[in-house]
Amino acid sequence: NAGVTQTPKFRVLKTGQSMTLLCAQDMNHEYMYWYRQDPGMGLRLIHYSVGEGTTAKGEVPDGYNVSRLKKQNFLLGLESAAPSQTSVYFCASRSGGPTEAFFGQGTRLTVV
Amino acid sequence: ELKVEQNPLFLSMQEGKNYTIYCNYSTTSDRLYWYRQDPGKSLESLFVLLSNGAVKQEGRLMASLDTKARLSTLHITAAVHDLSATYFCAVAVNFGNEKLTFGTGTRLTIIP
């Protein structure tokens, strides 16, 4: 049982480059989330999805786009990376109701 | 906008001592979660608290929820080194609005 899998685990980008982070879950969860974690700031919600084909903005959505074309996948895109987007990115998923979220292992992204 | 505050942000304590981490949130909530994160790792779910007065315990950790005060506590009893980690609380507001908002975390270090 893989749970929540993030790809890639590490990446270095140059300023202005684009990339897509993939989150895949095999638990048939409705809800999926992308967070970024920065020192001293906890986890901040970037975008989330309450079901296939739906997305919504979180606290810090600027500079990111997302898509949920398939229920099991949630993609996070950076169109033009900036050094301020250097962070550790976590994906999470959960089923409906009062259930906890399960997290992926994280993607450490460095933008130089 | 929902705000979730944890204190203290850093906690260094001796083995065998007791201590409490506090989580305050700014609006009425349906659910409160506690997570643990080891350095360089992902987040692991500890507790899900769903109602006023809820108390859950696992080993040396006990979590409680006071929805009227908008306060949750994570109590550590007779701390041991293995409990060294960063602890996060997270709050969800209203069924149907499935955003999870995290606190900034409490970095706990247990000193022998």
Side-chain angles (χ1 to χ4, degrees):
Chain A
N1 186 357
V4 180
T5 303
Q6 290 182 230
T7 309
K9 291 184 171 48
F10 302 93
R11 185 73 185 267
V12 178
L13 282 181
K14 293 183 179 179
T15 298
Q17 287 185 318
S18 63
M19 77 163 294
T20 300
L21 281 66
L22 171 64
C23 177
Q25 52 96 2
D26 61 1
M27 297 173 282
N28 201 35
H29 285 168
E30 287 294 330
Y31 308 112
M32 297 187 74
Y33 307 84
W34 276 108
Y35 291 89
R36 60 178 289 173
Q37 184 175 29
D38 303 292
M41 304 196 69
L43 278 79
R44 293 183 291 168
L45 182 62
I46 304 171
H47 287 279
Y48 65 107
S49 169
V50 299
E52 181 178 318
T54 74
T55 62
K57 294 180 179 180
E59 303 170 64
V60 289
D62 294 342
Y64 305 95
N65 56 76
V66 288
S67 64
R68 183 108 180 261
L69 299 180
K70 294 182 179 181
K71 186 177 183 179
Q72 63 267 35
N73 295 337
F74 195 28
L75 279 65
L76 178 71
L78 287 72
E79 290 188 349
S80 180
S84 61
Q85 294 177 304
T86 293
S87 187
V88 179
Y89 292 85
F90 284 100
C91 174
S93 73
R94 52 185 286 271
S95 58
T99 58
E100 71 262 50
F102 294 86
F103 281 79
Q105 290 304 303
T107 296
R108 185 174 294 275
L109 175 65
T110 302
V111 183
V112 298
Chain B
E1 182 178 333
L2 172 63
K3 294 190 185 301
V4 182
E5 295 182 344
Q6 286 182 239
N7 68 83
L9 297 183
F10 300 94
L11 177 57
S12 182
M13 53 190 292
Q14 287 185 316
E15 280 189 327
K17 299 291 187 182
N18 304 333
Y19 210 80
T20 301
I21 298 170
Y22 298 88
C23 174
N24 291 90
Y25 52 97
S26 60
T27 61
T28 303
S29 169
D30 297 303
R31 292 153 274 158
L32 191 134
Y33 305 85
W34 283 97
Y35 285 86
R36 168 183 172 143
Q37 184 181 37
D38 293 307
K41 302 293 186 182
S42 186
L43 282 81
E44 172 190 358
S45 177
L46 293 174
F47 301 110
V48 181
L49 302 169
L50 300 176
S51 60
N52 188 42
V55 177
K56 291 199 174 179
Q57 183 165 3
E58 179 73 33
R60 299 175 188 275
L61 299 178
M62 183 174 71
S64 65
L65 179 62
D66 181 342
T67 58
K68 294 179 181 178
R70 298 176 186 168
L71 170 69
S72 180
T73 60
L74 181 66
H75 187 74
I76 302 143
T77 302
V80 294
H81 180 69
D82 286 352
L83 292 179
S84 295
T86 299
Y87 293 87
F88 292 94
C89 64
V91 176
V93 179
N94 298 329
F95 287 112
N97 177 350
E98 299 295 341
K99 289 169 62 173
L100 285 179
T101 300
F102 278 77
T104 51
T106 296
R107 183 179 293 180
L108 174 64
T109 303
I110 309 297
I111 303 168

